[in-house]
Amino acid sequence: MNDQNSIQITDYYDAETFKRIKAFADTQETPCLVVDTATIANQYDELVENFPYANVYYAVKANPAPQVLSLLRDRGSNFDIASIYELDKVMALDVSPDRISYGNTIKKSKDIRAFYDRGVRLFATDSEADLRNIAKAAPGSKVYVRILTEGTQTADWPLSRKFGCHTDMAMDLLILARDLGLVPYGVSFHVGSQQREIGAWDAALGNVKVIFDRLKEEDGIVLQMINMGGGFPANYVSRTNDLKTYAEEIERFIREDFGDDFPEIIIEPGRSLIANAGVLVSEVVLISRKSRHGLHRWVFTDVGKFSGLIETLDESIKFPVYTEKTGECEDVVIAGPTCDSADIMYEHYKYGLPLNLAMGDRMYWFTTGAYTTTYSAVCFNGFPPLQDYYV
Ligand SMILES: *Cc1c(COP(=O)(O)O)cnc(C)c1O
């Protein structure tokens, strides 16, 4: 037992912002996600301030709500898109195709063609088969090759193993790209989402440098662009350095490898732009123990793994959970409302919630603006998808 609920609102939101979000949520049924768009605007401005030399390509998968997309469009963001469905969403908002990158390395030939027909000329790849498809379906386009990265241990939500190829293969692909009439444009990587080890960018940039140098010296290919992906932090229970520290370190890494003459630099933030803007509000459905002397209470709430909290898989992302109840706390297991025993959010990592927390009380899941609404199931057990509001 410990005596305090360690989650403080002001560690995550300024007091006014939280008040505004809560006032809106008070008028709504749970569960619902309330996203404060002013926070997204601030996060975007802060990012641009910290990475003044970079072009931002927002990773649309983090939250594709039109309110989010149009806000970022108006601030000058570009868009990293993974499917024709995301492409439709973004282009419906009059974003011009020269602000779009098709960043998914896994794609159908006919989808490459659809992007090309709509004017997109920037494509990611990491395999020969995909590259040949691009050459056919999107002739003359710019391609960048994604390389594998280390750092899966220190990223809370790794993205590194499934995508990318070895540096030797990346060079082969860039040479082949030229031979197929494409523009060998650059190299990309993603160090893993919510990457807590800033050195992961150093290692990846070192590999990029090798590719830039060798292709120039041995093949006369001058690459122009580095896409540093996402991985920048949001505020969860496991703390990270602040964005400024990431930016200063990463700029130093680039300068060490490339001198003062930077190539074009792209960053693709998702989580770091959006997550901090959201609060997911749920209600306690049931509190129980599993035996007479059961040590832990189980707190069942009306949001779960299937209604937006899938990133609690393996307890990877530890969302701060706040309640208005105060006083003595006890470690609990937190689980969702469905008839699936996988629907347990936190069991090993113990959240201390107040002993006087009661059925019907609301729980506030902080930092839930990214990777929640779209991960929500459409109808499991009849539960509707997560409702979201933008204020
Ligand atoms: C998901 C994804 C991102 C966003 O990563 P975050 O860690 O959420 O910022 C960026 N680039 C690519 C290619 C992605 O797949």
Side-chain angles (χ1 to χ4, degrees), residues 59 61-62 80 103 146 159 190 192-194 229-232 268-272 371:
K61 73 173 186 286
D80 170 57
R146 179 155 167 184
L159 285 167
H190 194 304
S193 199
Q194 191 68 6
F232 309 103
E268 298 176 325
R271 187 185 304 281
S272 62
Y371 303 121

Side-chain angles (χ1 to χ4, degrees), residues 5-115:
N5 186 347
S6 56
I7 302 301
Q8 304 295 325
I9 294 168
T10 48
D11 286 343
Y12 297 93
Y13 304 91
D14 73 65
E16 279 308 307
T17 303
F18 186 74
K19 229 193 216 164
R20 191 163 65 233
I21 291 174
K22 184 174 177 302
F24 180 85
D26 284 349
T27 66
Q28 301 299 327
E29 293 285 320
T30 63
C32 67
L33 172 71
V34 183
V35 176
D36 180 65
T37 51
T39 301
I40 299 176
N42 289 340
Q43 296 281 130
Y44 184 84
D45 294 348
E46 192 193 341
L47 192 77
V48 170
E49 218 166 87
N50 278 288
F51 291 91
Y53 52 86
N55 293 323
V56 178
Y57 281 69
Y58 170 57
V60 171
K61 73 173 186 286
N63 186 326
Q67 295 90 335
V68 173
L69 297 177
S70 54
L71 182 155
L72 293 174
R73 173 201 63 197
D74 294 345
R75 281 186 133 64
S77 182
N78 305 287
F79 297 90
D80 170 57
I81 290 183
S83 70
I84 49 169
Y85 311 104
E86 285 183 354
L87 181 69
D88 284 343
K89 283 203 162 114
V90 171
M91 290 195 86
L93 299 170
D94 288 329
V95 172
S96 69
D98 59 355
R99 292 170 69 180
I100 291 170
S101 161
Y102 194 175
N104 194 344
T105 57
I106 302 161
K107 47 197 178 298
K108 296 174 182 171
S109 191
K110 69 171 187 200
D111 292 348
I112 298 170
R113 171 62 77 172
F115 273 68

Side-chain angles (χ1 to χ4, degrees), residues 28 35 125 165 197 213 237 257-258 279 343 350 366 374:
Q28 301 299 327
V35 176
T125 193
C165 62
E197 179 57 63
D213 286 352
V237 169
D257 284 331
F258 292 88
V279 178
D343 194 8
K350 288 295 186 308
F366 290 173
T374 46

Side-chain angles (χ1 to χ4, degrees), residues 210-222:
V210 169
I211 297 172
F212 267 63
D213 286 352
R214 286 228 200 120
L215 283 181
K216 190 170 169 192
E217 283 157 25
E218 295 171 19
D219 303 280
I221 293 175
V222 180

Side-chain angles (χ1 to χ4, degrees), residues 157-177:
W157 195 256
L159 285 167
S160 326
R161 200 166 57 83
K162 178 172 170 185
F163 306 100
C165 62
H166 192 270
T167 46
D168 289 338
M169 189 168 163
M171 289 187 274
D172 293 345
L173 291 174
L174 287 159
I175 294 166
L176 180 61

Side-chain angles (χ1 to χ4, degrees), residues 2 29 39 52 69 74 84 110 129 139 152 154 164 257 276 278 280 299 307 339 357 369 386:
N2 48 29
E29 293 285 320
T39 301
L69 297 177
D74 294 345
I84 49 169
K110 69 171 187 200
T152 50
T154 49
D257 284 331
N276 294 352
L280 205 174
V299 172
S307 44
C339 299
L357 182 72
L386 179 61

